[in-house]
Amino acid sequence: MQRSSFCYVAGTPVLETQGLTKHYTLGQETVRALDRVDFTAVQGDFAVVNGPSGSGKTTLLNMLALIDRPSEGEVLFEGRPTRRLSEGELALLRREKIGLVFQTFNLIPVLSVAENVEYPLLLTKTPRGERRGRVAARLEEVGLSGFEKRRPDELSGGQRQRVAVARALVTAPRIVLADEPTANLDSATGRQIMELLQGLNRDHCVTFLVVTHDPSVLDYAQRVLTIRDGRIQGEEKRGAPRPA
Amino acid sequence: MTIKIAARNVFRNRRRTLISLLVIGIGLTILSFVLGFVGEAITAAQRSLAMELGALQIGDPRVLDGKASGLEGLIDPEVAQRALALVEELPNVAGVTTQVRFAGLVGDEQGSTLLLARGIVPEDCMANYACLIVAGRGLEGSEAREIVLGERLAERLGVGPGDRVNVATGTVSGTLNAATVTVVGVVQYGEAQVEERLGFVPLGFAQRLLRTSGVERILVWLDDLDQASGFAGQLTRAFSSAGLPLAVRTWDELTPFFASLETFWSAFSGFTTLAVFALVLFSVLEVLTISFLERTREVGTVRALGASRGRVFAGFVSEGVLVGIVGGLGGAVSGAIVAVLFNALGLTFVPPGGNMPQPIRVAVSASTLVIPFLVALGATFLSSLYPAAKNARLTVVEALRSL
């Protein structure tokens, strides 16, 4: 992956929330999953949102990934409000500008490793030749060259998560959102994945926002936001990421 | 990629897909067989009626429409000649003959019975009934005092080829006339009731017996039966211009029961088509619903990656259609094989009222293969719509939460 030109404008807001609130109705009761969250992710960030189960981490990630709509407040993507965007416009933003890494990898089992990574490029109608090149480059970056034809069920958990990372990066998104990327991995593999993300952030200026309850992930963050009961409790700036 | 993913998903759960394909295959084989059987039954009836009656008949409208007896509306010989000349101008005419029909008595001094006779031109091979002869020979001379009897009538009279019988009938002027004729042949007609009274005599002899030189009707055979209606119109206009008082009726106008028969068979095949359609629809619907719901999380994933609802919907519908294509092709091929094997058995049956075994055949044609294929395609397409729409309508978060 070539170093992104966006790196030269590090600090430019990519994702921003203003008074972001989400509440669900359970029977008679209204549960506030997110309560007036204000947060900004800037270009080149490696931010980690940390909090216990049920604190609202995943709800926040869903809002930032534009796959769920807020009850109140706004999510701005590159300064553009998204609340009034249609389903189609949100899908366009997701496929072109947001990369997603899931806790359970969420690879498509009937597709090979290369096809899984290629899938988002098909959605953006990228020409075939360019697709091939990008897929090969991303797989090389995540250390999976030679695994192109394998199916997900022929890979270890760590390898699957690497494929998921390659898939998230293949469209050169403005930001990659990762939901508990180490939760389904043993600690050694989890470290490898985090080092991979950190390397991509450091060397290729990929912006990452990681949601986790795993304390070991915090070591890789430039910024740590703690969330509890749907509210950001505090933010810790850690400066440059830990060297790999 | 949508088709590639759909194709791989179709064979993801092989056992389930195999069950779907089996249901489609069995349903389509049955449908193909029924359509082939019905098609053959209709074609055989059509062929047999058109062979017997000709593609067109020309005569007095009252006679052709059954409002007068043949002797009341005989065609004058001069008019018949002019009509025949006009018929000969038509292209694709396979044969023409003239006939006169009369009722009378046949027997000997031991007793007599009813005779429904047809005076035919023995030289006109399209209508000399030679192919039905089971004993003796066909008629040979137009003036000869010969008769060919239906097998049952011959049995009843206790006569066979070489025996002589008396034939009595009323003439056109209402007087009685009789003659002694030689039985030269016996025919098996296929319909017991008709065969008990049937006899063929040469046209010239019949005219002498009836004391007339007229004919009752002119029968026209065509190379292509489908042209009957067009030719009928053409001849009607030609007769009208020539001032000939003749009407033209097509073979199907002369046999109104054929339309009922065709309607019955069409309703039967339509009902079978509908039943197979419903069988495939609901069986595949159940299988696809389970299969699609198992992949709700994948729907969430691809939607989160930016796939539109339409793309998700199209992907699932493609799966249904692929099942339809594979099952449809399999069913059509299997239907054709079963039909060919069935025909090879050479089974026959004797129809009600009949006395000759008829072959039971199943047609293998484009329609018996294409219609079942389209039924499979249509049913699987429809059965995929509901589960595909249900999955495509889910919100991304709902879909991702699915286990």
Side-chain angles (χ1 to χ4, degrees):
Chain A
M1 183 188 258
Q2 291 202 334
R3 192 174 173 83
S4 165
S5 59
F6 289 119
C7 248
Y8 300 107
V9 286
T12 308
V14 178
L15 260 180
E16 192 179 348
T17 66
Q18 293 173 346
L20 194 66
T21 301
K22 180 73 177 179
H23 43 74
Y24 300 101
T25 305
L26 294 172
Q28 302 285 320
E29 202 180 340
T30 299
V31 178
R32 283 182 100 80
L34 283 182
D35 191 6
R36 288 163 287 160
V37 171
D38 295 315
F39 158 80
T40 303
V42 297
Q43 183 64 43
D45 236 352
F46 196 112
V48 172
V49 177
N50 179 46
S53 292
S55 59
K57 300 186 301 291
T58 299
T59 305
L60 174 61
L61 188 102
N62 289 344
M63 302 288 154
L64 297 175
L66 308 178
I67 59 177
D68 201 0
R69 291 182 185 266
S71 307
E72 290 163 35
E74 183 64 271
V75 176
L76 294 101
F77 195 93
E78 296 178 319
R80 181 185 174 198
T82 59
R83 193 161 175 184
R84 291 183 188 279
L85 295 183
S86 67
E87 281 285 324
E89 289 168 322
L90 291 175
L92 182 68
L93 271 179
R94 287 200 298 273
R95 64 178 168 257
E96 290 186 344
K97 302 201 169 184
I98 299 172
L100 286 172
V101 176
F102 301 92
Q103 177 180 341
T104 49
F105 326 128
N106 290 26
L107 301 178
I108 300 170
V110 293
L111 297 183
S112 68
V113 163
E115 288 165 341
N116 263 290
V117 178
E118 188 185 6
Y119 188 82
L121 295 174
L122 290 161
L123 300 179
T124 57
K125 297 186 169 59
T126 307
R128 188 188 174 96
E130 191 182 336
R131 288 203 310 263
R132 293 269 163 90
R134 284 211 210 180
V135 169
R138 295 302 84 79
L139 285 176
E140 192 180 343
E141 277 161 17
V142 299
L144 286 178
S145 287
F147 287 76
E148 288 82 355
K149 293 189 174 168
R150 299 260 185 108
R151 290 286 174 91
D153 59 5
E154 297 169 337
L155 301 177
S156 67
Q159 287 170 326
R160 289 184 206 184
Q161 197 58 298
R162 283 169 185 271
V163 177
V165 170
R167 180 177 66 183
L169 294 171
V170 77
T171 53
R174 296 297 312 277
I175 189 166
V176 174
L177 304 171
D179 184 14
E180 305 275 11
T182 60
N184 276 21
L185 304 173
D186 61 65
S187 55
T189 310
R191 271 199 305 279
Q192 288 171 8
I193 290 295
M194 288 315 298
E195 282 163 11
L196 172 68
L197 302 188
Q198 189 186 50
L200 290 164
N201 170 257
R202 184 188 57 230
D203 301 336
H204 301 295
C205 202
V206 178
T207 307
F208 281 99
L209 176 77
V210 179
V211 161
T212 185
H213 70 279
D214 178 359
S216 68
V217 170
L218 307 185
D219 295 345
Y220 300 87
Q222 294 169 11
R223 296 164 65 200
V224 175
L225 293 100
T226 306
I227 188 168
R228 197 177 294 273
D229 299 328
R231 305 190 74 161
I232 300 284
Q233 299 286 321
E235 179 178 342
E236 181 190 348
K237 287 194 175 10
R238 297 191 168 194
R242 188 179 78 166
Chain B
M1 183 71 98
T2 302
I3 301 297
K4 189 193 277 185
I5 295 175
R8 290 184 189 170
N9 277 324
V10 163
F11 295 102
R12 195 162 165 177
N13 187 326
R14 288 198 173 87
R15 195 173 65 89
R16 197 185 288 153
T17 302
L18 192 67
I19 290 171
S20 294
L21 293 177
L22 270 177
V23 169
I24 297 173
I26 292 169
L28 295 198
T29 303
I30 293 168
L31 179 59
S32 179
F33 190 88
V34 168
L35 291 178
F37 178 76
V38 167
E40 184 63 27
I42 291 175
T43 309
Q46 192 178 28
R47 208 184 299 131
S48 139
L49 287 168
M51 201 64 205
E52 169 85 22
L53 303 171
L56 303 171
Q57 285 195 6
I58 299 162
D60 185 302
R62 294 169 301 148
V63 174
L64 294 181
D65 296 337
K67 291 174 183 163
S69 79
L71 300 187
E72 288 171 307
L74 289 173
I75 309 170
D76 183 77
E78 187 261 331
V79 172
Q81 282 309 313
R82 287 174 62 198
L84 285 170
L86 288 170
V87 169
E88 276 162 16
E89 285 175 15
L90 289 175
N92 306 319
V93 171
V96 185
T97 195
T98 49
Q99 281 187 7
V100 63
R101 300 178 184 193
F102 63 94
L105 292 170
V106 61
D108 52 22
E109 59 278 9
Q110 304 295 319
S112 58
T113 186
L114 181 64
L115 170 71
L116 295 175
R118 295 181 196 180
I120 61 171
V121 180
E123 295 80 12
D124 290 344
C125 62
M126 295 294 285
N128 65 9
Y129 299 90
C131 59
L132 303 179
I133 298 284
V134 291
R137 61 168 173 81
L139 301 172
E140 282 181 348
S142 187
E143 300 292 328
R145 290 187 171 204
E146 294 177 347
I147 191 164
V148 169
L149 294 174
E151 191 177 35
R152 290 203 170 209
L153 179 56
E155 279 171 13
R156 177 184 280 192
L157 294 171
V159 296
D163 293 332
R164 292 164 73 81
V165 290
N166 300 320
V167 173
T169 186
T171 66
V172 290
S173 57
T175 58
L176 199 64
N177 199 3
T180 301
V181 294
T182 305
V183 177
V184 294
V186 173
V187 291
Q188 243 181 17
Y189 190 71
E191 280 180 62
Q193 280 185 327
V194 176
E195 207 183 277
E196 280 171 0
R197 298 183 174 97
L198 186 66
F200 297 104
V201 295
L203 179 65
F205 170 69
Q207 287 172 325
R208 279 207 320 276
L209 198 61
L210 296 167
R211 299 235 189 276
T212 179
S213 52
V215 293
E216 182 195 329
R217 60 187 77 207
I218 300 169
L219 281 68
V220 182
W221 285 267
L222 300 173
D223 289 332
D224 181 4
L225 198 58
D226 292 339
Q227 290 182 313
S229 188
F231 280 14
Q234 228 173 303
L235 276 175
T236 304
R237 284 191 294 277
F239 292 159
S240 173
S241 305
L244 299 179
L246 297 173
V248 184
R249 298 286 182 267
T250 57
W251 67 274
D252 49 340
E253 287 171 335
L254 293 164
T255 51
F257 74 91
F258 177 77
S260 313
L261 185 77
E262 197 174 24
T263 305
F264 168 76
W265 282 121
S266 299
F268 178 64
S269 55
F271 175 76
T272 310
T273 305
L274 204 65
V276 170
F277 187 88
L279 171 80
V280 173
L281 177 75
F282 290 110
S283 310
V284 175
L285 174 66
E286 191 178 348
V287 170
L288 289 183
T289 302
I290 296 168
S291 165
F292 290 2
L293 290 180
E294 280 176 358
R295 282 183 279 137
T296 303
R297 195 182 178 83
E298 282 175 39
V299 172
T301 303
V302 296
R303 291 283 316 283
L305 295 177
S308 63
R309 286 180 198 272
R311 192 179 186 100
V312 171
F313 179 77
F316 282 113
V317 171
S318 302
E319 282 183 43
V321 169
L322 277 176
V323 169
I325 289 173
V326 176
L329 287 175
V333 169
S334 134
I337 291 171
V338 169
V340 168
L341 292 176
F342 182 84
N343 289 341
L345 293 175
L347 298 179
T348 59
F349 85 117
V350 178
N355 59 352
M356 279 168 67
Q358 303 291 322
I360 310 173
R361 292 188 59 80
V362 178
V364 181
S365 65
S367 66
T368 63
L369 302 177
V370 171
I371 291 173
F373 177 76
L374 293 179
V375 163
L377 206 58
T380 50
F381 171 73
L382 276 184
S383 60
S384 66
L385 289 181
Y386 168 71
K390 195 172 174 185
N391 263 355
R393 269 204 308 268
L394 285 172
T395 67
V396 182
V397 173
E398 274 174 337
L400 282 172
R401 269 198 214 116
S402 165
L403 292 176

